[in-house]
């Protein structure tokens, strides 16, 4: 996404994984700060673009992978938050994410 709606011009929403990897464990308190920072930045690949383009996005729980939580992200067109919220609400009302991947 380059700040315009090219990616969502042909579709109402984009659906993608929230994280580009499976969930990781929380670092121990003794973990060096550099490693904690590195691990945090590994997870920004799918969320960072919408932070800077102004596209509304929402992450929803959608199941488990290897007994760890997994999320999906919906991304909408700029200033089209209502479509995003309706889709997120419909997903949550109709999908029991606790049963997916269980």
């Amino acid at each position: 996404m380059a700040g315009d709606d090219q990616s969502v011009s042909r579709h109402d929403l984009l659906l993608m994984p929230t994280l580009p990897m499976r969930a990781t464990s929380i670092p121990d308190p003794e973990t060096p700060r550099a490693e904690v920072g590195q691990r945090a930045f590994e997870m920004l690949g799918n969320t960072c673009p919408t932070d800077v383009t102004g596209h509304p996005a929402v992450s929803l729980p959608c199941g488990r992978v290897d007994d760890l939580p997994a999320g999906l992200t919906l991304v909408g067109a700029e200033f089209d938050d209502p479509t995003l919220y309706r889709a997120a609400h419909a997903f949550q009302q109709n999908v029991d994410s606790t049963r997916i991947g269980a």
Side-chain angles (χ1 to χ4, degrees):
M1 289 176 222
D4 60 39
D5 284 332
Q6 182 177 357
S7 297
V8 290
S9 64
R10 293 173 298 185
H11 308 284
D12 294 329
L13 298 166
L14 300 178
L15 185 149
M16 62 187 189
T18 299
L19 297 178
M21 57 203 251
R22 65 176 238 173
T24 60
S25 58
I26 296 173
D28 296 326
E30 297 83 30
T31 303
R33 281 190 177 171
E35 183 179 334
V36 172
Q38 176 186 347
R39 290 178 61 191
F41 281 107
E42 290 173 347
M43 297 182 234
L44 295 177
N46 291 4
T47 58
C48 189
T50 59
D51 294 343
V52 297
T53 64
H55 288 85
V58 63
S59 178
L60 301 163
C62 70
R64 300 183 79 71
V65 175
D66 297 331
D67 204 35
L68 296 169
L72 69 85
T73 294
L74 296 174
V75 180
E78 290 178 299
F79 307 108
D80 191 14
D81 299 48
T83 297
L84 183 71
Y85 294 143
R86 283 192 302 273
H89 180 72
F91 179 85
Q92 289 187 312
Q93 295 301 307
N94 293 289
V95 176
D96 182 358
S97 64
T98 64
R99 298 181 53 90
I100 300 172

